[in-house]
Amino acid sequence: MSLLRTSLAAIALGLAMPALAQDVIRIGAPLPITGPLSPEAVKQQRGYDLWAETANKAGGVRVGDRRMRVEIVYVDYQSNTPRAVQAAERLITQDKVNFLFSPFGSGAAKAASTVSEKYQVPTIAATASSAQVYDQGYKYLFGTFTPNDTLTEPLADIVKAQAPGVNRVAILARNDLFPLAIAQEMEKSAKARGMRVVYSEKYAIGTLDHASALTQIKAQAPHWIFATGYTNDLVLMRKQMADLKIEAPIVTMIAAPAYQEFIDSAGKGAENITSAAWWHPAVRYKGTDIFGTTEAYVQAFKAKYRADPDYGEASASAAGALLQMAIEKAGTLDRQKVRDELANLNVTTFWGPVKFGPTGQINSLVPPVFQIQGAKPIVIHPPEVKQGDLRLGVQ
Amino acid sequence: MLYLQVLLNGLVLGGLFACIAAGFSLVWGVLNVINILHGSFIVLGAYAAWYGHALWGIHPFVSILLVAPLFFALGYAIQSGLLNRVIAAPVLLTLTLTFGLDLMLSNAMLAAFKADFRKLVLDPPLGVLSLGNIVLPVDRLAAMALALLLTLLLYLVLSRSRTGRAIVAVRMDREAASLMGVNVYRTYAITFGLGALMAGVAGPLIAMIFPISPLTGPVYLGKAFVVCVLGGLGSVPGAMVGGLVLGVVESFAALWFGPEHAVTVAFALLIAMLVFRPTGLLGRKGYE
Amino acid sequence: MSNPAMAALHTAARRDLGLACLLFALMALPPFVADTYILRLGTTMLMYAVLALSWNFIGGMAGYPSFATAAFFGLGAYAGGVAQKFGIGMWLAWGFAGLLALLFAAALGLALLRLRGHYFAIASLVVAEVLREIINSATDLTGGGMGLNLPLRTGQSVEQQADFFYWTMLGLAAVAMAATLAVQHGRLGFGLRCIQQNESAADMLGVNTTATKTSAFALSAVFTGIAGAIYASWVNYIEPPDVFDVLYSVKPIVMVLLGGAGSAFGPIIGAGVFLGLEEIVWRRFLEVHSGVLGLLIVLLVLFLPRGLAGIARRRARGHTP
């Protein structure tokens, strides 16, 4: 369906602007359009489509002295990682795309990166944060999320500074690449500041009941509860915490609180929950990319989708915008040259300052830390863009 | 105190497991059919309750009454229309058939409802019950009570009504029952209908407690398997005992081995039971 | 057996062997003409052919509905992967994976093969779940939920790698096929068929049912395990939910049913037809692909319980292999 829609849109655009060159830049985007991860695919698609539309409306991407339209080719890999790898190969060999966007999440991005590396196709991962994704020494993979410790370190700093009595930490992580990796980083960050980790366990994917784990956590009387998982895991956990009357000065959850769905589902339970993400609509950057400033990006997103963008959607748009900048700098679609330009990028964009480290993962962002206050995410760090201060106490 | 809370957590969950498994056990015991659709029926019932609540404010307890006849009809239709054709076929074929049907239903639900999780939020919420240091959520207690009630109702139907006795007779000896004038195929259809009904009414209870999504079907099915093996096939008291045992086992396994192992321990227990005592904890097949 | 029966058996065996050689010779051609994506499809098909042929030993010939295929596959994938992590060479790692799967199946068989019908099915299904969680927890050894990386092959171009894995899988399928033919036309096959018809009678006739069943179960594991290890080397990154996916147990069964249980060629034909259909469905029916798969299965069971080979056999008027 989306392939059809994209093709129709591309045809319509092409017919509407006959003066433009007919050449097209094709970018492959394998997404979990069906299956458990489909809500994430929707976000990614919104981000990519907004970028493609914006670029095409401005006349297309400058390649040397021509302008070329952008077309995103979507393939559904059914939330199944082996199929994601297959989809990546299909996009390269059959659909003959010029570049690739990674599939969703650290696991699938890592799996598919082997294909991009084999075929030497520049690939940007919009949703892969775990350093493990980038540890193979590949040259063609780039990521827009900074490593997990860039989220946990500022969090730990803030807690240490503003809640010095906190020193018992309980960690409960979903046994999945990203949630587990970031929980491990949290453990390190907490211990590095002299806090005691009194509980650290993982729960299986698909767990429907956290009562036992939470009962144990309650028995440890922690000051800081750190939980990772996807939206449904964390909503359930929050409810069960209330069921068991668990209270703590600080409760941090990653990654759901950034999404409106979490706030809606958790209701009053979302109040004072802290979280961190790689971007927030409240940050203010003046970028040299196609969107320009962060406010301009948020406006454009709101105009098209009638909602504020979250970090997943923004990251997808950023991936497109960055690819565009690299192509324009290279002046050609030659994969090697575009790859080199990506590696040498050192720019400011609506997404933040962008510089890719030696592994291909971005290392220049300062991820915002935020807290749900009054049913809205309020940025409490970094100081330049903060909207409020940390509040203690989660009932 | 910790142990008491963990025990109670487990028992409360166990009551729900009993209800989930009772219908499944019945179908397996009487028709010798493993109904892979069972998990998806539960999820479908949960969605029915969710939509009833979201669109018309129908309380899940009321949804139970509405859902029951619908699912009975659905089960009856599936059995008499499709399963009856292969009822005499080897185990593999019936298993594969229900698996294929489940794929279709599961996909239909995924397409209709999307994969994101929904939560049925009662307003005002039912709150929690505090007994000293022990905290029990009222919604779970209510669900457990209803679950046990429904399971008890099933047991009464089977032991007191004519249809129920017919089902038991077919379970014990198909040929003899047939000679006694029992319409075996109709009994099969009724049994499957009852199984679907039990799954359907478990749905609203599930919706009250857990987030629902078409993807959770296999999880409930897995629980049903373990409960059946623990409690003995085709036995409703067995399902009750098996359910409670499973709830407690999972609760303590999470405590002693870590939460990620809770389900693994349950499955390992399943294998152990199959190897050493396949007739289940209650020992005998059939009804008492 | 009387002499005419023996002669008929030998003719059947030779005919089957000839057909198999022809089939595999044909299947060796694609790397010369097809692109890497088609080869990927082909390699996947051959992998499933191995799984289907393997299942056929315990499910088709012995009549024990095993759902343990995913367990053996995942075990083989991780055995191969972890072995290579410790520096063991690829071929040796594959052999190790096969051996481990075989021993595991033999041990498992002691406990499970005493069960019949549904009980056996469930127990075998659950084994995969338990194995998956065990591997998920051994984070230091296997990477747990974060997955296991296998090194990329150096010194080979993309096309050469595609060819390599295609022929490797083809080789494994050929070995599995040879084993199938050998078993089917030999004493083990005879014993298995007896067990399938009536196990108690077979026991009374002097068939060592325990040894026979266990051999079949072990055979169903060894090739599957090696296939898992090859798969891991092929995709370079594995995670527990991927390699222990229950569909690795279910799809081979459907393929054998589709192709016709009891025929040596059924599994391969079933694998080819099934995957061809799946590829077409993937390209056309984005939202409803698993529903369409389910529909296919339902239609298969209701109208074609003897599979495609069953149609062929009906045409040939009752020749039993």
Side-chain angles (χ1 to χ4, degrees), chain B residues 40-42 44-45 48 67-76 193 196-197 199-201:
Chain B
S40 296
F41 282 159
I42 296 177
L44 191 59
V67 149
L70 289 172
F71 275 81
F72 181 82
L74 178 64
Y76 194 99
L197 184 152
V201 301

Side-chain angles (χ1 to χ4, degrees), chain B:
Chain B
M1 263 303 119
L2 175 67
Y3 283 3
L4 186 56
Q5 175 79 62
V6 171
L7 176 68
L8 286 173
N9 289 342
L11 285 174
V12 167
L13 215 47
L16 204 55
F17 289 164
C19 183
I20 288 176
F24 183 75
S25 180
L26 187 65
V27 168
W28 188 355
V30 175
L31 283 81
N32 201 26
V33 165
I34 289 191
N35 180 17
I36 305 280
L37 283 158
H38 196 81
S40 296
F41 282 159
I42 296 177
V43 173
L44 191 59
Y47 270 105
W50 189 88
Y51 275 107
H53 187 257
L55 295 175
W56 300 301
I58 302 178
H59 196 281
F61 293 166
V62 176
S63 292
I64 293 176
L65 297 169
L66 299 172
V67 149
L70 289 172
F71 275 81
F72 181 82
L74 178 64
Y76 194 99
I78 292 183
Q79 207 286 337
S80 43
L82 292 170
L83 289 177
N84 249 336
R85 291 167 185 256
V86 292
I87 205 74
V91 155
L92 185 65
L93 281 182
T94 56
L95 193 55
T96 312
L97 178 62
T98 57
F99 184 86
L101 287 170
D102 182 53
L103 271 183
M104 290 170 68
L105 179 58
S106 185
N107 199 174
M109 289 199 293
L110 207 55
F113 306 133
K114 301 293 177 242
D116 40 338
F117 283 75
R118 321 277 178 115
K119 186 79 187 66
L120 196 156
V121 184
L122 287 175
D123 196 11
L126 291 174
V128 300
L129 192 64
S130 291
L131 304 160
N133 259 345
I134 305 293
V135 184
L136 290 172
V138 175
D139 53 9
R140 286 196 178 212
L141 278 173
M144 174 204 178
L146 270 174
L148 289 175
L149 182 65
L150 289 165
T151 313
L152 187 64
L153 275 174
L154 178 68
Y155 177 70
L156 288 174
V157 163
L158 287 173
S159 50
R160 301 289 155 86
S161 73
R162 277 201 61 168
T163 321
R165 300 312 291 163
I167 295 176
V168 176
V170 168
R171 167 74 187 87
M172 291 199 183
D173 191 330
R174 200 184 106 158
E175 269 83 37
S178 170
L179 287 173
M180 290 297 198
V182 172
N183 181 336
V184 174
Y185 285 121
R186 208 175 77 97
T187 307
Y188 280 163
I190 292 178
T191 310
F192 199 84
L194 272 179
L197 184 152
M198 289 301 290
V201 301
L205 299 176
I206 299 279
M208 273 176 32
I209 301 180
F210 300 123
I212 54 177
S213 157
L215 310 162
T216 53
V219 177
Y220 301 123
L221 186 65
K223 307 279 186 238
F225 271 137
V226 182
V227 171
C228 279
V229 171
L230 282 178
L233 275 191
S235 155
V236 173
M240 278 208 230
V241 169
L244 292 171
V245 169
L246 179 63
V248 174
V249 163
E250 277 196 4
S251 211
F252 277 98
L255 182 67
W256 288 327
F257 298 105
E260 79 264 34
H261 293 125
V263 174
T264 314
V265 169
F267 279 146
L269 183 62
L270 170 103
I271 296 183
M273 285 295 293
L274 281 176
V275 172
F276 297 115
R277 200 179 161 83
T279 48
L281 289 169
L282 289 198
R284 296 199 294 149
K285 290 155 116 185
Y287 305 100
E288 276 64 55

Side-chain angles (χ1 to χ4, degrees), chain C residues 17-304:
Chain C
L17 190 62
L19 264 175
C21 288
L22 184 61
L23 182 63
F24 277 83
L26 279 175
M27 290 202 289
L29 294 179
F32 298 110
V33 294
D35 70 41
T36 47
Y37 183 69
I38 303 285
L39 283 184
R40 175 178 283 270
L41 288 181
T43 311
T44 307
M45 189 221 104
L46 288 167
M47 186 179 87
Y48 274 103
V50 171
L51 266 50
L53 283 166
S54 297
W55 183 84
N56 198 27
F57 289 115
I58 186 72
M61 294 190 212
Y64 273 70
S66 160
F67 280 82
T69 312
F72 302 137
F73 186 78
L75 183 65
Y78 268 95
V82 171
Q84 286 180 71
K85 194 171 107 154
F86 283 112
I88 299 181
M90 193 178 69
W91 292 93
L92 213 55
W94 292 349
F96 170 67
L99 182 63
L100 188 65
L102 183 123
L103 293 173
F104 178 71
L108 192 66
L110 283 175
L112 296 190
L113 287 168
R114 291 188 283 152
L115 304 169
R116 306 279 186 90
H118 278 142
Y119 290 126
F120 178 76
I122 295 179
S124 60
L125 180 68
V126 163
V127 166
E129 297 293 308
V130 173
L131 261 186
R132 190 193 68 218
E133 280 309 317
I134 293 179
I135 293 207
N136 229 342
S137 340
T139 313
D140 294 325
L141 183 67
T142 64
M146 298 188 288
L148 183 68
N149 257 97
L150 285 90
L152 274 187
R153 286 175 70 71
T154 49
Q156 271 188 337
S157 74
V158 181
E159 288 79 25
Q160 285 170 324
Q161 283 190 44
D163 293 346
F164 173 75
F165 282 105
Y166 181 88
W167 276 321
T168 311
M169 218 43 108
L170 182 68
L172 183 63
V175 174
M177 185 75 195
T180 305
L181 289 176
V183 167
Q184 198 166 47
H185 295 287
R187 292 199 61 167
L188 183 58
F190 175 70
L192 289 171
R193 282 191 294 277
C194 288
I195 291 177
Q196 188 185 63
Q197 303 234 353
N198 189 329
E199 187 159 345
S200 334
D203 204 26
M204 285 196 291
L205 280 178
V207 175
N208 183 344
T209 51
T210 311
T212 310
K213 281 189 295 190
T214 313
S215 307
F217 202 44
L219 276 171
S220 81
V222 63
F223 302 117
T224 306
I226 299 179
I230 298 179
Y231 172 80
S233 297
W234 182 31
V235 299
N236 301 104
Y237 173 75
I238 55 177
E239 277 180 337
D242 295 334
V243 294
F244 286 103
D245 189 349
V246 69
L247 286 176
Y248 282 122
S249 288
V250 173
K251 284 193 195 174
I253 298 180
V254 176
M255 291 173 192
V256 175
L257 286 178
L258 182 60
S263 147
F265 293 91
I268 298 193
I269 298 174
V273 172
F274 184 92
L275 286 170
L277 283 172
E278 203 182 50
E279 182 68 12
I280 296 174
V281 169
W282 185 32
R283 284 176 184 260
R284 298 283 159 84
F285 300 101
L286 268 192
E287 287 248 328
V288 295
H289 50 82
S290 60
V292 172
L293 175 64
L295 182 62
L296 277 167
I297 293 177
V298 170
L299 293 174
L300 178 66
V301 171
L302 287 178
F303 299 117
L304 209 58

Side-chain angles (χ1 to χ4, degrees), chain A residues 39 153 243:
Chain A
E153 285 286 298
D243 283 347

